[in-house]
Amino acid sequence: MMLRKSEGTMKRAFAAVAALFLIGLLALPQVEGAKKPRTGEIKENRYQDLRFGFALQLPQEWKMAKPKKEYTPQRLVAEQKNPRIPMKLRSDPGWAVTPTVMVFADSTDMAAGEFFTFLQSDSGKTELKDKILSKSILLAPVAKHDVDIQTRTSAKIGGREALKLKAKLEYEALISGRSGATLIRDYRVGHIYIIPLEGWLLYVELVCENQFFPSLHETFEKIMASLTFADTESDTTAGEGEGSKEEK
């Protein structure tokens, strides 16, 4: 009887230890997850980046994608709600691009011009470059046409020097209609801002259909004017530096 009682006690003790070990294993992913905050926070349509410290305000008629939990160079994606569709694309609206703002950031010591050249080159590879090229609308490597850089100027954004590019990308859309398919050629147009900072770089792309750029230009400027950094003043406007010498 004493032997059986001892064996039973040992079995219960072993079961208790095994249970505690299993509970500990189940708790590990939760602990790990708690150490990985989302890329940013959104409050009243204002995005605050938790790693790089910058903030951006979007108009109320724009919606932001929920920040991801894991680290990614793509920090923010925002689209205009209920966007207009060009008349010639209304029979197949999937061809129309929604007015979009994309923000990317990652560690690098490259200057703005150097980084843009790097983006357009076939050599070299970084996570930031790969992410931009896989998500960009204006620099899409699968496009039939190369991006057309119309202007290249310097600007001051959030108190920081930036490279500002106005770009357009031609696209072809095969639209089906009653009389058959029609080939439509048009452009996506927008601004690219590249802002080098201390040990990292910010890339912002604002793009829409060519037809709507004149009406959205002011909105794009206001969005960029709202960009602030943790260690700079918040009253800097995107228009500063617009009349400066064109970049070579």
Side-chain angles (χ1 to χ4, degrees):
M1 288 294 294
M2 290 295 294
L3 181 59
R4 289 176 184 165
K5 185 175 181 180
S6 177
E7 289 177 346
T9 301
M10 290 177 64
K11 287 180 180 180
R12 286 194 295 272
F14 180 81
V17 170
L20 289 171
F21 181 75
L22 180 60
I23 291 171
L25 287 177
L26 292 173
L28 280 176
Q30 298 174 3
V31 172
E32 289 294 322
K35 294 180 181 178
K36 296 180 181 178
R38 293 187 182 276
T39 52
E41 295 177 340
I42 298 173
K43 185 176 182 181
E44 297 180 350
N45 240 37
R46 181 177 184 270
Y47 173 80
Q48 176 72 52
D49 196 88
L50 296 179
R51 175 170 179 170
F52 297 103
F54 65 88
L56 196 67
Q57 180 71 50
L58 272 291
Q60 289 303 314
E61 62 270 20
W62 287 65
K63 60 182 178 181
M64 298 189 218
K66 190 175 182 180
K68 297 182 180 296
K69 288 185 177 180
E70 70 276 10
Y71 174 74
T72 171
Q74 187 171 25
R75 313 304 289 175
L76 173 66
V77 180
E79 295 183 342
Q80 187 183 41
K81 300 175 184 176
N82 304 314
R84 290 179 293 169
I85 304 296
M87 182 67 72
K88 55 191 173 185
L89 297 178
R90 286 187 178 176
S91 61
D92 196 351
W95 284 101
V97 66
T98 300
T100 302
V101 174
M102 290 182 285
V103 181
F104 302 81
D106 205 356
S107 301
T108 180
D109 291 322
M110 289 188 189
E114 179 187 7
F115 182 73
F116 187 65
T117 300
F118 176 59
L119 282 178
Q120 294 183 298
S121 70
D122 294 328
S123 61
K125 182 177 180 180
T126 65
E127 187 177 3
L128 178 58
K129 178 179 179 178
D130 289 349
K131 184 61 71 172
I132 290 174
L133 292 181
S134 67
K135 300 295 183 180
S136 169
I137 297 173
L138 292 171
L139 303 181
V142 295
K144 292 184 178 180
H145 305 276
D146 292 332
V147 63
D148 178 11
I149 303 300
Q150 297 181 292
T151 62
R152 182 183 178 119
T153 59
S154 60
K156 186 163 283 189
I157 307 295
R160 302 301 184 98
E161 295 297 326
L163 173 62
K164 179 182 179 181
L165 307 163
K166 182 181 179 183
K168 69 176 185 179
L169 180 68
E170 184 180 354
Y171 69 90
E172 298 175 356
L174 194 61
I175 305 298
S176 299
R178 294 180 180 179
S179 58
T182 303
L183 183 65
I184 303 294
R185 288 187 174 91
D186 210 332
Y187 294 89
R188 279 86 187 249
V189 181
H191 284 146
I192 294 171
Y193 290 85
I194 301 176
I195 311 172
L197 296 115
E198 295 181 7
W200 63 284
L201 179 143
L202 193 68
Y203 173 100
V204 185
E205 184 171 309
L206 310 96
V207 62
C208 63
E209 288 288 333
N210 178 50
Q211 178 180 336
F212 304 126
F213 184 76
S215 61
L216 282 170
H217 176 265
E218 185 177 351
T219 298
F220 288 166
E221 292 291 302
K222 287 182 178 179
I223 290 172
M224 291 307 298
S226 75
L227 180 61
T228 59
F229 298 94
D231 58 348
T232 57
E233 295 294 329
S234 61
D235 58 355
T236 309
T237 62
E240 293 180 46
E242 212 44 45
S244 59
K245 182 179 177 181
E246 283 201 359
E247 299 282 340
K248 297 290 185 181

